[in-house]
Amino acid sequence: MRALSGWWMVGLLLGSWPGHVLAEQPVRTTEKPVAEDAGSAGWNEVTHRVEARISGEVVDLTVLRTFHNPSRHFLEQEEFLELPRGGSVNGFAFEAQGRWTDGVLLDAKQARDRYKALRHEGPAAPLPVAWLSGSGGWMMLRMLNVPPRGSVTVRYTLRTRLGYAEGRRTFSYPLSINEDAPRPSLTVVPPHTGSTPRIVQAKGALEVSWAPERPTRVEARAGQVALGSGALGFIQIQAPPRLSPVPVRARVVFVVDASHSVGPEGITQQLAVASAYLQQLPDATAEVVVFRRAAERLFGRFIPASDWKDTLAAVPPARLAPGNGSHLDEGLRLAQRVLATGDGPARVLALSDGHVRQAYEAVPPAPVTSASDAAVHLLLLDDILSPTFPSMTLTKPPVRGACGEWKLLPREGPPSSKELESLVRPVRWDNLRLENAQGHPMRDVPTLSEGQGHDVWMWLPETTPLPLTLRGEAWRCPVSVRVDVDPALSADLGRHSYATLPPAPPPGADDGPVEKARRRLATAGDWVSEDRSFLALPPGAGPSSARKLAMEDPIEEGGMGSGVISGLLCCETGSLEMPMPGVDPRELDAELERLLRAAITACPRGSKPLQVQVESTRDEIIDVRVVGAASPGEEACVREAAWALRLGVSFKGDTTPLRQVTLRP
């Protein structure tokens, strides 16, 4: 929702926004009052023309708008003018009855008082006058003594800085929210030879864009204006249309979780993700590593992406049957060994439901996964029913020092093409911050996606000399770019194009150093702001007795920008509680002991008790440890017997990941 001034509320209360009309009636010599209509019917905007010229990082717009008064009365007219994002007005003129009058930039209170004085009775002729005021992206245009059955034209010039989106330079020009207003006729002078600006209507504005000289890397530059004990800084950051190329002839290893907790449906989903991923890399070769308690190769060789469907269909179903164990680390180690030979950028996509044993640790790096063009991605299948999902150890890279993403995948269907592309190549920079020369962070910056840009205002104390450094991460690996001072940007920073002020904060609120610095610029600037307004006053203009206002004076002492309308959506947050069936831990311990005793009947037994520790999910054994005095043969037999167990329905509601059973001779 846009922030609007208090004048919006005035217009709504008077019932005639956006063009609020005050009718003026001739003074009668008789004492009998004359009942005449307000004379405002048919007031309309006739033409709205805009010419845009791009110069460096700013666009200059010249706006011509003509309004017609079809009534037989002098009128006073008010119009709200919305500015482009970041725009400000630095020139104004007013034409009526064939005469142009240039606006003079005055102190805002002085302009308001002079305009109010002209609305009183006096000896002068009713000459047309115009006053332009406002801030925060909205202007209020007031026109006094608009002649009967006549037209007036306003011309104002404004500047706005260029934006950057989807790899194109952009700016927008807002459309009037008055449905009866004419659509602006926008002419754009091409910014450079060979460029063809594209104009489309979107979100209540005319969006203009064109292809610039294509950057190949993230670019950042800064401007600054000295103010007091520091400087007001402005940083522009732009990402190229593509942050990185698509790898050529990549080698991809999919590490697939085939544990009981994933189940047949989860295995099928993982293979669907793999199929969709290979559609992004048609010249790649691929292998699958399946892990349960141990890891194994599925194909035994790298196959072309074009053969994926047929090769996968020929795999015996038993090779993909779920089993006990979720040794993700074993799958990653095998993936690194598989990639150790051969050429081409390496990609590892490890998929898991997040249930890993307590002994899980990130895998040590290998040359193939540490290469600058390699990546190891971890994709976790969402499981909202699990009380132990996911392990906190999985929030770190699964292969130490390797670049890669960490994503949570829903159970329903494979990721979108856009999500998969972010696993093929880096498409954004995350965790961005601006640092000074000493490496101290000064300001966080939003995520920078390719083809996008950010504008950042900063207060720079005198102890913070430029240049700065923009640091962040791409696929969890460090990236950075130096932010140098651009003299042209510094020169523009002290002008109106970079100093449009936000609406005034609530009384008593602390503006902060950036807002205070920008207000200091506005006070001495050459643009309309809360501190300065344009007044177009023709020679001889003054209070006139040839008219009488038919409505009360609507001009408030606070002027435009004194109020803000805001909307708040409030909602109650709740949680979906899914009660688990009650389970007696003692009964589960007894059940596990019964299963183990039945499984180890063929194992050699000594004379001392054994403690068997079992890690599990609701239906899967994750890890087994045998503690106590036992021969190697006895320990191995008991461990293998435990691994072979299939937990039954009794354990479905269990929330205890570790159980210990003592087996006595």
Side-chain angles (χ1 to χ4, degrees):
M1 177 178 287
R2 295 189 182 98
L4 306 177
S5 74
W7 281 102
W8 183 306
M9 288 297 293
V10 174
L12 291 176
L13 293 173
L14 293 174
S16 55
W17 191 90
H20 175 55
V21 180
L22 300 179
E24 298 173 336
Q25 300 174 340
V27 175
R28 302 294 180 176
T29 56
T30 61
E31 296 182 359
K32 183 179 180 180
V34 178
E36 296 186 359
D37 61 75
S40 62
W43 171 270
N44 58 82
E45 184 175 359
V46 178
T47 61
H48 187 166
R49 302 188 300 275
V50 185
E51 182 184 77
R53 292 180 178 273
I54 292 91
S55 176
E57 292 297 317
V58 297
V59 54
D60 294 284
L61 298 108
T62 301
V63 183
L64 281 167
R65 301 177 69 168
T66 300
F67 302 89
H68 180 65
N69 172 18
S71 75
R72 50 196 174 87
H73 304 290
F74 284 95
L75 298 180
E76 180 178 14
Q77 172 72 8
E78 292 180 337
E79 292 286 338
F80 283 94
L81 312 178
E82 184 180 4
L83 304 184
R85 182 184 65 86
S88 53
V89 176
N90 72 315
F92 177 69
F94 181 66
E95 184 271 334
Q97 299 173 324
R99 174 189 293 179
W100 278 98
T101 303
D102 290 330
V104 178
L105 195 61
L106 303 173
D107 174 81
K109 185 177 184 304
Q110 180 185 5
R112 181 181 68 246
D113 291 345
R114 292 185 66 177
Y115 182 86
K116 289 181 64 176
L118 292 172
R119 302 173 78 245
H120 298 162
E121 295 186 12
L127 297 179
V129 176
W131 171 35
L132 186 67
S133 62
S135 69
W138 289 85
M139 295 287 114
M140 171 66 82
L141 171 64
R142 298 175 178 86
M143 296 169 285
L144 182 64
N145 297 335
V146 179
R149 296 184 174 86
S151 298
V152 293
T153 299
V154 294
R155 180 182 68 230
Y156 53 96
T157 57
L158 58 90
R159 300 187 90 197
T160 182
R161 58 182 177 267
L162 298 179
Y164 190 76
E166 299 180 2
R168 297 173 66 86
R169 301 314 308 266
T170 66
F171 73 89
S172 64
Y173 187 82
L175 298 172
S176 174
I177 62 175
N178 181 3
E179 296 180 354
D180 296 327
R183 176 189 171 97
S185 174
L186 176 60
T187 302
V188 182
V189 178
H192 53 80
T193 304
S195 65
T196 304
R198 182 177 66 199
I199 304 175
V200 297
Q201 181 174 334
K203 298 180 180 180
L206 296 178
E207 301 285 347
V208 183
S209 67
W210 63 94
E213 296 182 359
R214 288 187 173 272
T216 58
R217 59 183 180 84
V218 173
E219 297 179 348
R221 63 197 189 110
Q224 60 177 339
V225 173
L227 288 172
S229 61
L232 181 62
F234 181 75
I235 293 89
Q236 282 190 326
I237 304 167
Q238 297 175 0
R242 295 180 76 85
L243 277 170
S244 58
V246 176
V248 178
R249 292 187 294 277
R251 295 175 300 144
V252 184
V253 176
F254 300 102
V255 181
V256 173
D257 187 344
S259 60
H260 279 306
S261 58
V262 168
E265 292 183 357
I267 296 172
T268 300
Q269 181 197 8
Q270 294 173 74
L271 294 174
V273 171
S275 299
Y277 184 81
L278 288 179
Q279 293 178 13
Q280 303 275 335
L281 295 169
D283 65 344
T285 56
E287 169 65 301
V288 176
V289 168
V290 179
F291 70 91
R292 303 174 187 86
R293 173 191 174 190
E296 61 176 346
R297 297 179 68 163
L298 188 63
F299 304 139
R301 68 189 191 282
F302 278 97
I303 63 169
S306 57
D307 296 341
W308 168 268
K309 183 177 180 180
D310 292 339
T311 306
L312 186 61
V315 173
R319 299 284 309 282
L320 291 168
N324 279 328
S326 291
H327 291 190
L328 172 63
D329 43 355
E330 295 297 329
L332 291 166
R333 288 189 179 92
L334 179 54
Q336 290 192 128
R337 293 196 296 270
V338 169
L339 289 165
T341 59
D343 297 318
R347 295 288 185 272
V348 177
L349 264 70
L351 299 105
S352 170
D353 63 0
H355 303 304
V356 294
R357 54 183 174 168
Q358 294 179 0
Y360 167 86
E361 291 183 351
V363 175
V368 66
T369 51
S370 299
S372 59
D373 60 353
V376 179
H377 302 302
L378 178 60
L379 283 65
L380 293 177
L381 307 177
D382 190 4
D383 185 359
I384 62 173
L385 297 179
S386 172
T388 59
F389 172 80
S391 170
M392 292 303 295
T393 57
L394 294 181
T395 60
K396 300 177 181 178
V399 174
R400 292 199 295 269
C403 302
E405 289 274 16
W406 189 105
K407 282 186 176 292
L408 188 64
L409 298 181
R411 290 273 185 174
E412 299 81 19
S416 66
S417 177
K418 187 173 183 180
E419 289 177 312
L420 288 172
E421 185 180 9
S422 69
L423 302 174
V424 170
R425 59 184 187 84
V427 297
R428 69 181 186 277
W429 284 11
D430 300 306
N431 302 321
L432 290 170
R433 63 195 180 280
L434 288 162
E435 295 182 353
N436 61 16
Q438 291 73 40
H440 297 147
M442 299 189 61
R443 173 73 180 271
D444 291 339
V445 179
T447 293
L448 182 66
S449 298
E450 57 186 12
Q452 301 297 316
H454 293 312
D455 295 341
V456 181
W457 289 95
M458 290 181 61
W459 174 252
L460 302 171
E462 60 181 4
T463 56
T464 311
L466 295 176
L468 304 175
T469 300
L470 177 68
R471 298 191 186 278
E473 295 178 345
W475 277 358
R476 295 196 182 190
C477 282
V479 290
S480 65
V481 63
R482 177 182 162 116
V483 186
D484 288 309
V485 178
D486 184 337
L489 188 60
S490 294
D492 277 332
L493 186 61
R495 303 169 63 185
H496 56 277
S497 58
Y498 291 99
T500 299
L501 300 177
D510 185 9
D511 288 355
V514 171
E515 286 73 17
K516 290 178 180 177
R518 293 171 72 181
R519 281 194 164 78
R520 288 182 60 183
L521 286 178
T523 301
D526 63 348
W527 63 91
V528 176
S529 68
E530 288 186 344
D531 300 291
R532 299 166 76 81
S533 303
F534 274 114
L535 185 64
L537 193 65
S544 174
S545 297
R547 64 190 184 279
K548 180 179 181 181
L549 293 176
M551 299 180 69
E552 294 183 359
D553 186 348
I555 301 175
E556 297 177 345
E557 289 297 326
M560 186 179 178
S562 60
V564 173
I565 298 176
S566 62
L568 297 177
L569 294 177
C570 297
C571 57
E572 295 183 359
T573 58
S575 60
L576 177 62
E577 295 185 359
M578 304 185 69
M580 304 298 294
V583 180
D584 188 338
R586 293 171 298 181
E587 292 182 4
L588 289 181
D589 289 343
E591 174 68 6
L592 181 59
E593 181 177 353
R594 185 188 66 79
L595 291 173
L596 279 171
R597 286 191 177 279
I600 66 171
T601 54
C603 292
R605 293 299 310 275
S607 59
K608 296 183 179 180
L610 294 177
Q611 284 79 41
V612 182
Q613 295 177 345
V614 176
E615 288 182 49
S616 69
T617 63
R618 296 185 303 273
D619 53 4
E620 168 205 353
I621 292 177
I622 298 177
D623 203 6
V624 176
R625 291 184 293 274
V626 179
V627 182
S631 66
E634 181 182 0
E635 179 181 344
C637 184
V638 171
R639 185 169 56 249
E640 292 302 318
W643 271 117
L645 293 178
R646 183 69 176 98
L647 297 182
V649 177
S650 301
F651 291 85
K652 292 293 185 180
D654 187 19
T655 60
T656 305
L658 178 64
R659 319 199 79 85
Q660 178 168 303
V661 175
T662 300
L663 300 177
R664 303 184 183 278

